[in-house]
Amino acid sequence: MSFRIGATVLIDYDGIAIQSYNFKKNRILGSLQKVLKILDAYGVDEIHAIVPSKGKSEYSSSEVFFNLSDISISTPLSIGGGITEENIKKITKDPFFERCIFNSAIFNNSQLLKKTKIIMGHQSMVASMPFVIRKDTMMVYNSECDEFIEVNSSLYKKVNKYFNEIILLDADAEGDKKGFNFEVFKYVEFPIERCLISGGLTKNDISKAKKIGLAGVSIDNFALHSEYSIEDLR
């Protein structure tokens, strides 16, 4: 499997592209169509389009996902955030999306994971695992309770059962370029060749990720603020 260089785009419920900093602040980037077109032109291998939520939301992501399918780009698109047992069949009826990305369902909704796996196939299943490391302990974010919680082997058993890949997002580095914390791999119980990393990535981080055999990286959308050459990173 070749090393992939993807990009993450966060989307609010109004369909506006936003950027998150250290899991604390958001900044509006602008038109989602413009952002996706730029990333498409950059030649990234895939785009991870995620509707972030904290706690139980009254809003539905369905309309956001439907609008995504109307934007003409050639780059494979994965979606996450607000996928439910109620909307999964509807949003995947047209096979426009390549993968489905989950966070809170990792912790508390195996039924949704089973249902999506049947519809989309195991290769489409991606776990989003934003993390921090505190006192030599890996903590993973659960969006439903809006907290970073300690993970254990039983959770990793579920992750290995349902997911083909995971995206490890360094929440402490998100949105800037201070570097990804590779110490996380001391704690991760998942095949390294099926891990992608994100958050604070530098060129050296991307080179290291390739060298140690990761599946790829997902660049923070800071790439949209300046001239950026994906080819230079390969």
Side-chain angles (χ1 to χ4, degrees):
M1 185 182 294
S2 60
F3 185 79
R4 302 174 349 244
I5 298 178
T8 298
V9 175
L10 303 180
I11 313 165
D12 68 14
Y13 287 104
D14 294 320
I16 302 297
I18 58 176
Q19 182 175 8
S20 173
Y21 294 86
N22 307 123
F23 250 62
K24 296 174 182 177
K25 296 180 181 179
N26 289 336
R27 177 181 183 273
I28 293 176
L29 286 173
S31 161
L32 179 59
Q33 179 167 344
K34 181 179 179 181
V35 169
L36 293 183
K37 291 279 189 182
I38 290 173
L39 290 173
D40 192 43
Y42 278 164
V44 295
D45 296 315
E46 59 194 22
I47 297 172
H48 306 120
I50 298 175
V51 182
S53 61
K54 293 184 177 182
K56 292 186 177 181
S57 175
E58 299 176 0
Y59 298 97
S60 170
S61 302
S62 300
E63 198 62 37
V64 176
F65 296 145
F66 296 145
N67 290 338
L68 277 175
S69 63
D70 291 333
I71 299 175
S72 178
I73 58 173
S74 60
T75 306
L77 192 62
S78 301
I79 55 170
I83 300 174
T84 66
E85 290 184 64
E86 290 71 34
N87 69 15
I88 182 60
K89 281 190 176 180
K90 195 172 181 181
I91 62 179
T92 57
K93 186 177 181 180
D94 180 353
F96 178 79
F97 304 117
E98 181 137 323
R99 296 180 177 88
C100 291
I101 303 170
F102 295 94
N103 174 254
S104 63
I106 303 170
F107 301 92
N108 55 24
N109 198 340
S110 295
Q111 192 58 39
L112 172 59
L113 301 180
K114 290 177 185 176
K115 194 169 184 179
T116 308
K117 191 174 177 179
I118 290 170
I119 295 170
M120 296 285 288
H122 182 72
Q123 78 288 343
S124 74
M125 302 290 288
V126 180
S128 171
M129 301 182 71
F131 72 89
V132 295
I133 297 174
R134 299 289 184 266
K135 297 180 179 179
D136 294 321
T137 301
M138 180 184 179
M139 314 280 286
V140 172
Y141 183 70
N142 180 340
S143 61
E144 187 169 301
C145 62
D146 190 21
E147 290 181 3
F148 286 89
I149 63 176
E150 186 174 346
V151 295
N152 53 34
S153 292
S154 63
L155 180 69
Y156 273 114
K157 285 181 182 178
K158 184 188 287 189
V159 171
N160 278 278
K161 177 179 179 179
Y162 288 110
F163 294 98
N164 183 50
E165 293 183 329
I166 63 174
I167 300 174
L168 294 164
L169 168 62
D170 186 344
D172 283 331
E174 185 195 38
D176 53 42
K177 302 179 186 179
K178 65 182 183 181
F180 181 87
N181 187 355
F182 282 90
E183 289 293 304
V184 71
F185 287 104
K186 294 194 302 186
Y187 311 99
V188 174
E189 299 174 25
F190 194 82
I192 195 169
E193 69 273 11
R194 292 194 277 124
C195 295
L196 295 92
I197 60 171
S198 186
L201 296 175
T202 64
K203 288 185 177 181
N204 286 339
D205 289 336
I206 295 171
S207 296
K208 183 174 181 178
K210 190 173 183 179
K211 185 176 181 179
I212 66 176
L214 298 184
V217 298
S218 189
I219 302 170
D220 282 326
N221 43 21
F222 68 75
L224 295 167
H225 299 302
S226 60
E227 288 297 321
Y228 210 80
S229 173
I230 297 301
E231 286 307 313
D232 286 347
L233 301 176
R234 296 193 186 281

